[in-house]
Amino acid sequence: LPEDSSAIISRFQQYLQINTAQPSPDYSGAADFIFSQAKTIGLESQSIEFVKGKPVLLLKWPGTNPDLPSILLNSHTDVVAAEYHKWTHPPFDAHLDKTGDIYARGSQDMKCVGMQYLEAIRRLKNSGFQPVRTLYVSFVPDEEIGGHDGAEKFAQSEEFEKMNVGIVLDEGLASTNENYRVFFGERCPWWLVIKATGSPGHGSKLYDNSAMENLLKSIESIRRFRASQFDLVKAGLRAEGEVISVNMVFLKAGTPSPTGFVMNLQPSEAEAGFDIRVPPTADEKMLEKRLEEEWAPSSRSMTFEFKQRVSTLNEFGKPVVTATDDSNPWWSLLEGAVKKANGKLGKPEVFPASTDARYFRLRGLPAIGFSPMANTPILLHDHNEFLNQAEYLKGIEIYESIIKAYTSYTEHTRNDAYRDEL
Ligand SMILES: CSCC[C@H](NC=O)C(=O)O
Ligand SMILES: [Zn+2]
Ligand SMILES: [Zn+2]
């Protein structure tokens, strides 16, 4: 590796070594690091604590025409927890192996992207490039737990309003082939708990309407639905983000005893939790009906509760998605810029899980999910998350090209996609 590249990789490793794992992320460590980077690059920086101890770090590269809507490059500073003993290299060592793979929690999700933004800016600045539009880079907390104290408050703030943002880039997913994946929307999380009650009884007795039987009937029904959705994906008829996913995440029942559970007692209560993800264009009413009639019918002594239920629609009743046609110039600009840097984009997709991009889209802004990682296994939230250094360096070139194209775009763009509704 040339001298320059090893310095770039070592800065990436430094960021990865800061333990920002939920539930107690080292946000002040991350802030110190990001601000020290901003200083050496020559970017203005600001920390906004909408919630104490959870800073939104905002960097700014002023453009020559501050009247044009600005560009926002967003990333989150937190990462999910890691089970240390199940990793081949400790998750916060950022170990670089002989093949160039860098192992760390956050190497894909999404400290890579945050640092790639900064490295791209550093190079552009050094080359003498001048942006026309102002460029902002935000590092937000708490994405992994829903972003309520981070991007959600940020997107709704006066500070954000003043930034006059026209387009947001946020995270995507690694691609296992040579085409980068790119996302225009995301599925909405519905975290459902269903609860069954029934008559308790002797473990030897066959009878109807026990809590366990009632719950199992629901689970069977939910699993049939799950299979019907999964089959569409397996048959290649639908993309991952276009079906409703339903996965059971907990089961809770039984009567505890000092040695485990009482074995000859059928319990009077049983419950199960499901992580459901609903595509932006899905029929919510249909799903609700299914839930009321088949998954948790009161006729079977069942109740349900949502731990979280995010609507697929915005305040105008429209799906929360970013346009991918001619009405959104940022799409073709992105395509062109990636191509110019010798990269290829796949077909725009719906992100299968949730990201902070939703909060920007809810404001009526276009937001594109994109993490430039091609030919890479998808390891976010998994053990042994890694990114190859060559792929990381390639991503920096991709962002250089995007930042050039975006900040140089001088056509008048509206920064309010809902103008028609308003
Ligand atoms: C919906 S709050 C949790 C957000 C989380 N985001 C990334 O994994 C997700 O589970 O999609
Ligand atoms: Zn993420
Ligand atoms: Zn994540």
Side-chain angles (χ1 to χ4, degrees), residues 71-343:
I71 314 296
L72 174 63
L73 306 178
N74 182 62
S75 70
H76 58 84
T77 48
D78 62 324
V79 299
V80 285
E83 295 173 76
Y84 286 53
H85 61 282
K86 293 185 183 164
W87 286 57
T88 36
H89 306 287
F92 295 99
D93 275 12
H95 176 83
L96 172 64
D97 78 5
K98 283 196 201 79
T99 64
D101 292 338
I102 302 163
Y103 285 85
R105 177 57 89 220
S107 55
Q108 293 191 11
D109 179 15
M110 62 174 300
K111 285 178 169 168
C112 50
V113 172
M115 279 309 284
Q116 282 167 324
Y117 293 153
L118 295 185
E119 298 296 350
I121 294 169
R122 189 193 306 272
R123 278 200 216 164
L124 287 170
K125 274 207 148 206
N126 288 343
S127 76
F129 177 80
Q130 272 286 337
V132 179
R133 289 176 191 260
T134 293
L135 180 68
Y136 287 100
V137 193
S138 53
F139 291 81
V140 300
D142 278 13
E143 188 279 342
E144 296 294 1
I145 54 168
H148 306 295
D149 290 347
E152 184 169 25
K153 291 206 164 59
F154 178 43
Q156 291 169 358
S157 69
E158 214 171 290
E159 288 90 339
F160 186 85
E161 183 68 40
K162 287 202 195 106
M163 288 160 62
N164 187 25
V165 173
I167 172 73
V168 182
L169 288 190
D170 203 333
E171 69 190 302
L173 288 176
S175 163
T176 52
N177 61 43
E178 57 176 359
N179 298 324
Y180 293 125
R181 298 178 73 177
V182 58
F183 302 89
F184 66 95
E186 52 191 53
R187 293 196 294 195
C188 299
W190 286 21
W191 289 350
L192 172 73
V193 176
I194 60 175
K195 190 168 175 178
T197 55
S199 349
H202 195 282
S204 68
K205 190 178 173 199
L206 286 170
Y207 60 93
D208 285 325
N209 280 317
S210 72
M212 284 293 199
E213 281 299 307
N214 287 338
L215 181 69
L216 280 168
K217 279 182 187 156
S218 294
I219 292 173
E220 280 165 9
S221 170
I222 292 170
R223 288 197 66 221
R224 273 196 302 276
F225 178 79
R226 181 186 187 276
S228 76
Q229 298 292 295
F230 198 8
D231 282 347
L232 292 171
V233 178
K234 285 175 181 161
L237 296 170
R238 291 270 203 298
E240 186 187 5
E242 292 170 350
V243 298
I244 301 173
S245 64
V246 189
N247 289 304
M248 186 155 69
V249 291
F250 77 79
L251 261 174
K252 196 172 133 197
T255 308
S257 83
T259 53
F261 289 94
V262 178
M263 292 301 293
N264 58 356
L265 173 63
Q266 299 186 52
S268 65
E269 284 180 13
E271 60 182 77
F274 297 87
D275 182 325
I276 303 174
R277 304 285 171 136
V278 188
T281 50
D283 186 342
E284 287 182 317
K285 288 270 166 299
M286 278 266 293
L287 190 59
E288 257 169 49
K289 194 163 172 268
R290 200 180 278 277
L291 172 59
E292 279 160 19
E293 292 175 4
E294 297 171 34
W295 295 356
S298 49
S299 59
R300 203 161 62 232
S301 310
M302 302 214 37
T303 56
F304 64 88
E305 180 199 336
F306 283 106
K307 292 289 173 192
Q308 160 156 258
R309 188 195 152 154
V310 175
S311 170
T312 57
L313 308 176
N314 65 21
E315 58 183 310
F316 303 106
K318 300 252 167 74
V320 185
V321 291
T322 293
T324 58
D325 59 17
D326 292 347
S327 71
N328 178 3
W330 305 108
W331 270 107
S332 44
L333 281 172
L334 184 81
E335 250 167 3
V338 170
K339 204 167 171 186
K340 210 167 168 186
N342 297 314

